Amino acid sequence: MKHPDYPGVSSMVTRHGKQRWRLRRSGWKDVMLPGEPHTPDFDEVYFSAIEGRTADVVALPSVVSPKSMKAAYRLLRMGEEWKALDEKSRTRYSQTIERIFAFTTSGGRLKVGDQPMQDLKRSVAKAILAKFSATPHMERIALVCLRKLVLVAIDEEWIETDPTYKIGRNPKTDGHRAWTPEVMTKYEKRWPVGTRQRTAYALALWLGNRASDVTRLRWSHYTTKHVVENGEVRAVDGFEFVQFKGRKIKGGRRIFLPMTPMLERELATLSRDTETVLVTSRGGAYTDASLSTRMAGWCADAGIEPGYTMHGLRKALGVKLAEADASTRQLMEALGHNNIAYAELYSREASQIRLAVQAMDKVTKLEAIKPRLTVLK
């Protein structure tokens, strides 16, 4: 039996009479999926497989040592801040913490998760982070996870100082590939304007929205703002909404994104009678997980290799903004970033390319006008 929400997934019955789910795709090895559909472990393995990533799911034992890192983790999961996180963030942090706990200590006699929090020295924290160094984005997430555990231990008075203090890790990328012009052309040729496949693509690209904002964008968010430019008042149409990410802890960030001619062409044929801008074939709203799943399938139908995600379209807009000489502050406001480091990633790369080309152009011109010496015999 095929699952309606997960393309390529079907059920099977083992020789012991137990139902299991597996992902089957032509030319790919079958992937057995853990648990039941719509659970964090199931979704993580499924999305990782269709996006060309790997997933590590490690089960924690039920018994923990007092004041250990696992004990801190249990308390962390009972806290209000943890409960306020969205499901995707909780899953990501849980899997990273479980990976950390599976490492062994320097002596090899004890799992990291079983060691007392007071034994988490600065050198140990750095050694743990070094295991993630091949993937800078995961290294940063690992640091965030360690700090969450440390704060629990400090609150419980198991330790007095933070061993991760001033340890900094900033990713070179956020783990998602920016769509190239060639990949975007492939997708656009396969999915014409007016289809839900193209609408999802356009909202992610021309608004720079995360999947969680694409699914929640409503026509009621459409509004007109007035800005002053060169002493004149200009009316600008666009969407104003509260970003889904961070909404429970900080109330979310309210942003306004203008309707560009590119996006206007993409949305021109759509009905304004629906509640959300993007609707399913049945006229309802997508869930975050189902949209990510569908996008992977739509990309595959367009002949695009695994690894290009909806978040990669957000990155593609960041690249376009940087290439258009948008300032770091403009990048932050357009993409809704609070961390300046992310915005600088785009502008730094674009500036390097532009400045290198300009520099070599100067050398080329100099060489063109340099007089040629003729050696007389």
Side-chain angles (χ1 to χ4, degrees), residues 196-218:
R196 62 183 183 280
Q197 294 89 341
R198 183 64 172 264
T199 301
Y201 162 88
L203 292 175
L205 175 61
W206 298 118
L207 290 180
N209 275 354
R210 299 179 178 90
S212 56
D213 292 325
V214 170
T215 59
R216 292 168 176 79
L217 190 68
R218 301 169 181 265

Side-chain angles (χ1 to χ4, degrees), residues 291-332:
L291 181 57
S292 296
T293 301
R294 290 286 184 262
M295 176 56 77
W298 297 336
C299 287
D301 290 343
I304 297 171
E305 63 180 290
Y308 288 97
T309 64
M310 181 159 284
H311 201 85
L313 288 166
R314 175 175 165 83
K315 286 191 66 176
L317 178 61
V319 172
K320 289 178 180 292
L321 289 168
E323 290 175 344
D325 265 341
S327 67
T328 298
R329 187 65 187 178
Q330 288 170 335
L331 275 160
M332 290 178 67

Side-chain angles (χ1 to χ4, degrees), residues 184-206:
M184 286 188 276
T185 298
K186 263 189 177 182
Y187 192 93
E188 291 173 3
K189 283 184 177 180
R190 175 64 180 84
W191 303 113
V193 172
T195 62
R196 62 183 183 280
Q197 294 89 341
R198 183 64 172 264
T199 301
Y201 162 88
L203 292 175
L205 175 61
W206 298 118

Side-chain angles (χ1 to χ4, degrees), residues 11 21 32 96 117 130 154 164 230 260 345 375:
S11 63
W21 295 93
M32 300 304 298
T96 304
M117 283 298 304
I154 290 176
T164 67
N230 300 321
T260 59
L345 289 175
V375 178

Side-chain angles (χ1 to χ4, degrees), residues 273-299:
D273 296 331
T274 59
E275 187 174 3
T276 55
V277 178
L278 176 66
V279 295
T280 65
S281 57
R282 297 181 180 181
Y286 282 94
T287 64
D288 299 348
S290 65
L291 181 57
S292 296
T293 301
R294 290 286 184 262
M295 176 56 77
W298 297 336
C299 287

Side-chain angles (χ1 to χ4, degrees), residues 225-236:
K225 295 291 184 180
H226 294 85
V227 297
V228 178
E229 290 183 348
N230 300 321
E232 296 184 359
V233 178
R234 174 188 172 191
V236 181

Side-chain angles (χ1 to χ4, degrees), residues 356-376:
V357 170
Q358 292 173 350
M360 296 308 291
D361 282 346
K362 291 181 178 181
V363 172
T364 301
K365 289 180 180 179
L366 181 62
E367 288 296 310
I369 64 174
K370 183 181 293 185
R372 301 292 179 180
L373 296 178
T374 301
V375 178
L376 300 177

Side-chain angles (χ1 to χ4, degrees), residues 140-283:
R140 185 187 69 83
I141 293 176
L143 178 57
V144 171
C145 291
L146 286 178
R147 283 181 172 153
K148 288 181 180 295
L149 298 174
V150 166
L151 287 176
V152 170
I154 290 176
D155 286 343
E156 294 296 316
E157 298 185 353
W158 298 347
I159 59 176
E160 295 182 355
T161 59
D162 179 2
T164 67
Y165 178 66
K166 285 193 174 181
I167 294 180
R169 293 292 188 277
N170 285 315
K172 294 180 180 179
T173 69
D174 72 354
H176 296 265
R177 277 194 277 180
W179 289 43
T180 64
E182 294 76 18
V183 171
M184 286 188 276
T185 298
K186 263 189 177 182
Y187 192 93
E188 291 173 3
K189 283 184 177 180
R190 175 64 180 84
W191 303 113
V193 172
T195 62
R196 62 183 183 280
Q197 294 89 341
R198 183 64 172 264
T199 301
Y201 162 88
L203 292 175
L205 175 61
W206 298 118
L207 290 180
N209 275 354
R210 299 179 178 90
S212 56
D213 292 325
V214 170
T215 59
R216 292 168 176 79
L217 190 68
R218 301 169 181 265
W219 288 114
S220 59
H221 294 153
Y222 193 74
T223 186
T224 301
K225 295 291 184 180
H226 294 85
V227 297
V228 178
E229 290 183 348
N230 300 321
E232 296 184 359
V233 178
R234 174 188 172 191
V236 181
D237 295 332
F239 291 96
E240 184 179 34
F241 58 94
V242 176
Q243 288 184 313
F244 183 75
K245 184 176 181 180
R247 77 207 181 287
K248 290 186 178 180
I249 298 177
K250 300 179 181 179
R253 183 178 181 185
R254 180 174 293 276
I255 63 173
F256 172 79
L257 296 172
M259 173 74 85
T260 59
M262 297 83 73
L263 182 59
E264 190 172 15
R265 287 193 293 270
E266 298 280 351
L267 305 184
T269 61
L270 301 184
S271 169
R272 302 289 177 106
D273 296 331
T274 59
E275 187 174 3
T276 55
V277 178
L278 176 66
V279 295
T280 65
S281 57
R282 297 181 180 181

